[in-house]
Amino acid sequence: MADFIGAVDQGTTSTRFMIFDHGGNEVAKHQLEHEQILPRSGWVEHDPVEIWERTNSVMQNALRYGGLSPSDLAAIGITNQRETTVVWDPRNGRPYYNAIVWQDTRTDAIAANLERSGQGEIIRRKAGLPPATYFSGGKIQWILENVDGVREAAEAGHAIFGNTDAWSCGTSPAAPTAASTPPT
């Protein structure tokens, strides 16, 4: 019978895995930082493969520190960066580019253009929020417009997007690192 609950906290600067018993007491934990890629002022990226590898590592180490195996866990909860966006090839799981982090501001012109064109009000009415650099839509548009081959891949059905936990669900540990050189 599984007696413990695990929690993955995949945050902006690190990934942590904690294990709790039925009383809510911490049994074990492990945390690793990941690289902050800052190609330009206001741009924040992460290597999605590094995050995937760190997530696996913190889980394995916390289990080891607690003297537990995966079968000892009844469930695992996940919290992540939510609006950090990854675009990848569904055929092999490889990201086309680094993950663009929720706090990245490179899409400020996209959000401003939505406001100027009147689309901001439509978005506000439907979503309850204004266009902003925080959201994934602008990041996806930026990748489609600035990373060589991604628009063509998307039009051929060979590019999908999601946040860090959506991407990592279908990834293999052998997936190569995303391109770390930003387009000019």
Side-chain angles (χ1 to χ4, degrees):
M1 179 93 182
D3 292 323
F4 302 94
I5 300 292
V8 174
D9 176 11
Q10 199 296 294
T12 305
T13 60
S14 69
T15 303
R16 167 188 5 234
F17 186 66
M18 300 178 75
I19 302 170
F20 301 94
D21 65 17
H22 281 283
N25 301 301
E26 180 184 306
V27 173
K29 72 177 175 183
H30 190 61
Q31 179 175 353
L32 291 172
E33 291 184 1
H34 53 266
E35 181 183 7
Q36 303 299 300
I37 302 167
L38 309 168
R40 295 186 188 170
S41 179
W43 290 24
V44 185
E45 301 175 359
H46 292 156
D47 177 350
V49 174
E50 179 188 37
I51 289 173
W52 189 89
E53 291 169 348
R54 298 287 164 97
T55 302
N56 282 314
S57 180
V58 297
M59 292 174 75
Q60 291 170 8
N61 283 315
L63 286 165
R64 186 169 44 85
Y65 297 154
L68 303 169
S69 70
S71 63
D72 292 318
L73 300 176
I76 297 174
I78 300 173
T79 184
N80 69 5
Q81 300 179 47
R82 291 177 298 281
E83 295 295 328
T84 294
T85 303
V86 183
V87 179
W88 70 94
D89 187 331
R91 298 169 298 176
N92 58 26
R94 293 183 182 128
Y96 285 105
Y97 188 70
N98 284 327
I100 299 179
V101 178
W102 63 269
Q103 66 199 58
D104 185 287
T105 60
R106 77 184 72 191
T107 62
D108 58 347
I110 294 170
N113 286 337
L114 287 167
E115 286 291 357
R116 277 193 301 280
S117 72
Q119 298 298 309
E121 190 52 42
I122 294 169
I123 293 169
R124 231 181 245 90
R125 195 170 58 249
K126 290 185 176 194
L129 298 167
T133 60
Y134 174 76
F135 301 112
S136 296
K139 294 174 180 74
I140 296 161
Q141 180 180 340
W142 187 92
I143 291 171
L144 289 169
E145 293 173 353
N146 293 281
V147 179
D148 287 340
V150 176
R151 180 171 298 282
E152 294 79 10
E155 289 170 356
H158 302 306
I160 56 178
F161 80 93
N163 55 24
T164 53
D165 66 337
W167 171 75
S168 63
C169 290
T171 312
S172 109
T177 302
S180 59
T181 305
T184 55

